Amino acid sequence: MTSSSNRRPVVKPGARGSSPAGGSAGRVLIDDETWRQLLAPDSTAAASKFQRNFVRAAVARVTGTRPSLMHLTLGQAANVLNYIGESPAKLNAGGRGVAGIEKAGVIAQWTLLGLLLLVVTLSSPAGILLAAGIVGLLFLIRKRRRRRQAWEDETWSGNSDVSAPTPAVSAGVEASGNATPPHPVSFEAATPASGRNHATTPKGEPYHMSLGRSEWPNVEVVGEHAYGEGIRAALRASGALTAQRSEGEVESLQVELVAEPDNPYDSNAISVRWNGRVLGYLSREDAVRYAQPVRRIIASGLVAASAARVWAYDEGDQLRARVTVALPEPAMIAPLNEAPTGVNTLLPWGSGIQILKEENHFDVLSRYVPSEGVGLLFVTLHKEIYTLKNGTQRPFVEVRLNGERVGELSNVTSAHLLPLLEHTEAVGETALAYAKITGSALAAQLVLQAAKATEISNDWLATGPHTAPKLLPQAADYVLPPAYVG
């Protein structure tokens, strides 16, 4: 059904929707399938507050039930009015849809309410309680409407259908034109809903940018207000938002960071996506900082993955949300060197272990100290033997960088890793681990980031080898596919 149709479908008196607020006896109910057709997503502008209220009242007169319709567009409003026998021309009658007149109406409404509360409060000692009761009733009505809207979103799948691509402007945000979008966001109202704010999930294995570390989401995402549909979808999929709960939060949500070289607003833009849906963008400053490691991961055919914390409060006509992503410092995301050839197994990330005697191997380390002064390396761990003067043999762990010795672990620390190295040696694998390098042209220091034998699970031991992700060599820039979805 389109907004230009003048044909009124036959209302089936026997058809009953599954709404929790059914109409009274003798009233006609519009079934859920009809509502889904009437509220099919379109590219028309959002209906104003007074236009929505007019449609709600018209539906209530026919069905006995007042829907919420917070996300109603002008095309959908015309569909509904046609269906119930009202003229769509009434949407613009009496100044409805005229911004100046509607603003004056809203001011008048709130002014009258304020005067009413003032008179009631001053009328008698009990007036304060009565005024508080009026305010409480208003909040209850608003809460009931939000709950009703959540039910409509789940049942009728109109503008807020979590499975359908939607415009970049969140259906939960009033299209007032006053909000200023962040740099990567487009508000082209004429663009059809299909293909907007939604894309297929990037191909490839995930490259977890935290490298197994337990990271609390620490990087703020911007532009959430324009991507309410993706945020709602993520929270509903996790059960954090329901018809009965308008505030929700989910932690450790797996998201992808997607570089958008074709973004018309910023060629450095990096979007944060869940199941292909944009949740927001890194700020301009953070996008510049993380551009190199994210682009390197994507150019290598992998997906730049991380964990996010998403919180939202759905007010029906507005969604307040905050998204934060767990990201280490850019230099600690991708190793500076490639994993050595052969059968290697990458040890899980662990707490830092100081490598000893690295000062004796500065000639090797100096070739890897980055200009920023800090970086990440692949190193291999090997079991070696000290023979004391009395003939006693003492095993220890030697650390090598691209086959060259760069240090060793203390006797105490070696004891925590030797059982693990004996296991990898027995199955024909070389233990590979991450190490943090810090330094300058004068000196360098290495810290091993490997789990101890007591921290390794039996499942990890039973499977393998655990190969390191293969990344392209470091470069000034990488060729990336188009990724901007508008």
Side-chain angles (χ1 to χ4, degrees):
M1 182 183 297
T2 64
S3 59
S4 61
S5 174
N6 294 319
R7 179 170 178 252
R8 178 186 175 189
V10 178
V11 180
K12 301 176 182 178
R16 292 188 172 272
S18 57
S19 166
S24 58
R27 295 282 190 178
V28 173
L29 292 183
I30 306 174
D31 62 78
D32 293 338
E33 180 57 36
T34 301
W35 273 116
R36 280 189 280 271
Q37 297 176 15
L38 296 174
L39 300 180
D42 59 23
S43 58
T44 59
S48 67
K49 174 182 177 181
F50 285 88
Q51 288 171 330
R52 294 196 305 271
N53 287 339
F54 172 75
V55 175
R56 295 174 66 216
V59 172
R61 287 193 295 270
V62 174
T63 67
T65 301
R66 185 182 294 270
S68 178
L69 303 181
M70 287 182 175
H71 311 322
L72 197 67
T73 67
L74 291 176
Q76 294 166 349
N79 290 345
V80 174
L81 292 177
N82 271 325
Y83 190 87
I84 63 176
E86 291 280 359
S87 172
K90 293 183 179 180
L91 283 172
N92 298 315
R96 297 188 194 97
V98 180
I101 296 177
E102 290 208 357
K103 184 176 181 180
V106 171
I107 294 174
Q109 285 181 342
W110 285 106
T111 301
L112 291 175
L113 176 61
L115 290 174
L116 173 63
L117 293 176
L118 181 63
V119 171
V120 169
T121 302
L122 300 177
S123 62
S124 66
I128 296 177
L129 294 177
L130 181 58
I134 294 174
V135 173
L137 179 61
L138 292 176
F139 275 106
L140 287 175
I141 293 173
R142 183 173 178 81
K143 182 176 180 180
R144 182 177 182 274
R145 185 179 179 189
R146 288 201 302 267
R147 295 176 65 179
R148 165 77 194 199
Q149 183 62 50
W151 178 87
E152 291 177 9
D153 290 344
E154 294 181 0
T155 308
W156 294 346
S157 300
N159 273 11
S160 295
D161 183 6
V162 301
S163 64
T166 53
V169 182
S170 166
V173 181
E174 282 288 340
S176 62
N178 296 326
T180 302
H183 62 278
V185 183
S186 172
F187 281 84
E188 298 160 356
T191 305
S194 60
R196 306 222 354 127
N197 197 26
H198 193 277
T200 57
T201 302
K203 304 294 184 182
E205 293 294 321
Y207 181 95
H208 296 285
M209 299 175 69
S210 62
L211 302 178
R213 287 163 286 187
S214 178
E215 295 276 353
W216 178 252
N218 57 329
V219 175
E220 295 283 346
V221 172
V222 301
E224 298 99 326
H225 68 278
Y227 299 100
E229 288 311 304
I231 294 173
R232 283 190 178 96
L235 290 175
R236 286 172 184 161
S238 65
L241 279 185
T242 64
Q244 292 74 35
R245 188 165 59 235
S246 57
E247 181 177 9
E249 177 182 344
V250 60
E251 296 180 2
S252 300
L253 181 71
Q254 295 303 300
V255 296
E256 303 93 36
L257 275 74
V258 181
E260 298 181 355
D262 57 328
N263 189 297
Y265 302 92
D266 182 2
S267 60
N268 290 320
I270 298 176
S271 59
V272 178
R273 306 185 187 186
W274 172 83
N275 279 5
R277 290 180 176 269
V278 178
L279 305 182
Y281 281 77
L282 298 188
S283 67
R284 284 185 182 270
E285 295 77 12
D286 285 332
V288 171
R289 293 179 64 226
Y290 288 98
Q292 206 276 347
V294 170
R295 287 171 175 249
R296 182 184 179 191
I297 293 168
I298 297 172
S300 301
L302 303 172
V303 174
S306 186
R309 174 182 177 270
V310 181
W311 169 88
Y313 182 70
D314 194 350
E315 297 178 316
D317 57 347
Q318 185 177 2
L319 183 75
R320 289 189 287 153
R322 183 187 182 196
V323 179
T324 50
V325 183
L327 292 176
E329 285 299 306
M332 295 297 292
I333 291 176
L336 299 168
N337 61 329
E338 297 183 46
T341 58
V343 182
N344 304 307
T345 194
L346 181 61
L347 302 186
W349 186 278
S351 55
I353 301 172
Q354 182 62 54
I355 297 175
L356 306 179
K357 300 183 180 180
E358 73 268 47
E359 67 275 9
N360 298 332
H361 307 282
F362 183 66
D363 58 327
V364 177
L365 294 177
S366 61
R367 302 198 298 264
Y368 297 92
V369 177
S371 57
E372 298 84 1
V374 62
L376 195 67
L377 294 170
F378 279 133
V379 295
T380 54
L381 307 180
H382 306 266
K383 178 182 176 181
E384 295 294 338
I385 303 292
Y386 271 136
T387 302
L388 304 180
K389 291 181 179 180
N390 61 5
T392 303
Q393 291 187 329
R394 180 176 296 170
F396 70 99
V397 176
E398 182 178 87
V399 182
R400 299 176 190 171
L401 175 56
N402 289 352
E404 298 182 274
R405 175 185 167 93
V406 290
E408 63 186 54
L409 303 185
S410 69
N411 292 334
V412 174
T413 307
S414 292
H416 290 295
L417 289 172
L418 283 172
L420 186 54
L421 300 190
E422 290 168 355
H423 165 77
T424 57
E425 182 181 337
V427 296
E429 301 167 0
T430 299
L432 186 67
Y434 292 110
K436 179 182 179 181
I437 183 171
T438 55
S440 64
L442 301 177
Q445 178 179 333
L446 274 181
V447 175
L448 185 67
Q449 306 283 174
K452 301 173 183 177
T454 54
E455 300 169 338
I456 299 293
S457 68
N458 288 330
D459 288 340
W460 188 92
L461 294 173
T463 58
H466 303 275
T467 57
K470 182 69 173 177
L471 294 176
L472 293 175
Q474 283 208 102
D477 200 6
Y478 300 93
V479 177
L480 300 181
Y484 178 67
V485 296

